[in-house]
């Protein structure tokens, strides 16, 4: 399959990779790697929809946190960027990744997708969920702003006003 691909015989390479994947059906790790390779070959041959479906099938066979999930998600994002259709991917991921089940990876991907569509506020919201230190900072900022507002609403004691005007 590799030699066929290098010779730009992608259709033939795809056939060979599919056959190898079928033979390794009982070896999940090998099957997943072959699906990733198949998706790449499909992508190279211009079959983007089939490549996305193949990448998704490979990811479904892996556990959350598996290194290939990140790689294949990036490939899918790149396909949607080429199509200039990142917004629909973000909406699909919103639907497929319910809030309660999202981990850092999912929140971070959604934040990047929304940022790339120009939806900065939604991107920040997604990022804050994935980044507790950032949310802590925002909470402290809000608390500080609230305290400052309360201080400004109080009348300044005359003795303090007198001291300030001395400068």
């Amino acid at each position: 399959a590799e030699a066929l691909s290098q010779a730009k015989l992608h259709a033939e390479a795809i056939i060979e990779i599919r056959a190898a994947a079928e033979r390794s059906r009982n070896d999940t790790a090998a099957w997943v790697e072959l699906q990733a390779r198949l998706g790449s070959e499909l992508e190279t041959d211009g079959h983007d929809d089939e490549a996305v479906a193949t990448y998704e099938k490979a990811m479904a066979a892996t556990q959350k946190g598996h290194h290939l999930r990140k790689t294949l998600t990036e490939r899918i994002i790149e396909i949607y960027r080429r199509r200039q259709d990142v917004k629909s991917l973000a909406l699909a991921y919103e639907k497929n990744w319910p809030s309660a089940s999202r981990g850092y990876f999912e929140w971070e991907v959604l934040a990047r997708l929304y940022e790339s569509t120009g939806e900065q506020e939604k991107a920040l919201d997604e990022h804050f969920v994935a980044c507790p230190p950032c949310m802590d900072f925002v909470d402290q900022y809000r608390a500080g702003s609230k305290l400052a507002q309360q201080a400004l609403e109080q009348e300044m004691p005359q003795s303090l006003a007198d001291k300030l005007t001395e400068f």
Side-chain angles (χ1 to χ4, degrees):
E2 196 63 38
L4 291 168
S5 180
Q6 287 179 359
K8 305 217 184 302
L9 299 171
H10 302 293
E12 292 81 355
I14 289 167
I15 292 168
E16 290 301 318
I17 296 168
R18 282 190 171 131
E22 188 58 38
R23 288 190 302 272
S24 65
R25 205 69 168 125
N26 295 329
D27 181 354
T28 303
W31 183 84
V32 166
E33 291 286 341
L34 285 163
Q35 292 301 308
R37 179 69 186 94
L38 175 60
S40 178
E41 199 63 37
L42 287 163
E43 197 177 341
T44 300
D45 203 32
H47 303 285
D48 288 347
D49 289 336
E50 198 174 349
V52 168
T54 302
Y55 291 147
E56 289 173 344
K57 191 165 52 169
M59 289 189 299
T62 63
Q63 293 182 350
K64 206 171 187 176
H66 191 282
H67 71 92
L68 266 180
R69 281 184 177 234
K70 181 176 185 341
T71 302
L72 299 180
T73 298
E74 294 304 322
R75 295 298 324 137
I76 291 170
I77 291 169
E78 185 54 37
I79 290 169
Y80 276 80
R81 279 197 177 119
R82 280 196 312 267
R83 294 177 176 171
Q84 298 182 349
D85 193 22
V86 174
K87 175 71 175 179
S88 71
L89 180 61
L91 293 173
Y93 281 166
E94 281 270 354
K95 181 181 173 189
N96 294 336
W97 297 337
S99 294
S101 69
R102 291 180 199 155
Y104 176 83
F105 173 74
E106 290 84 3
W107 287 112
E108 189 271 334
V109 167
L110 284 169
R112 285 189 297 120
L113 292 175
Y114 283 118
E115 184 175 19
S116 72
T117 63
E119 296 179 71
Q120 301 304 326
E121 190 171 324
K122 191 145 176 91
L124 280 172
D125 289 344
E126 301 293 333
H127 176 79
F128 288 150
V129 173
C131 185
C134 288
M135 196 65 234
D136 291 345
F137 173 80
V138 169
D139 288 343
Q140 290 172 2
Y141 177 81
R142 287 180 180 149
S145 295
K146 188 175 180 180
L147 287 173
Q149 183 64 34
Q150 289 172 349
L152 291 172
E153 289 172 358
Q154 295 178 1
E155 193 169 322
M156 186 182 303
Q158 188 58 47
S159 60
L160 178 58
D162 292 342
K163 285 287 185 192
L164 288 173
T165 56
E166 287 177 11
F167 293 105

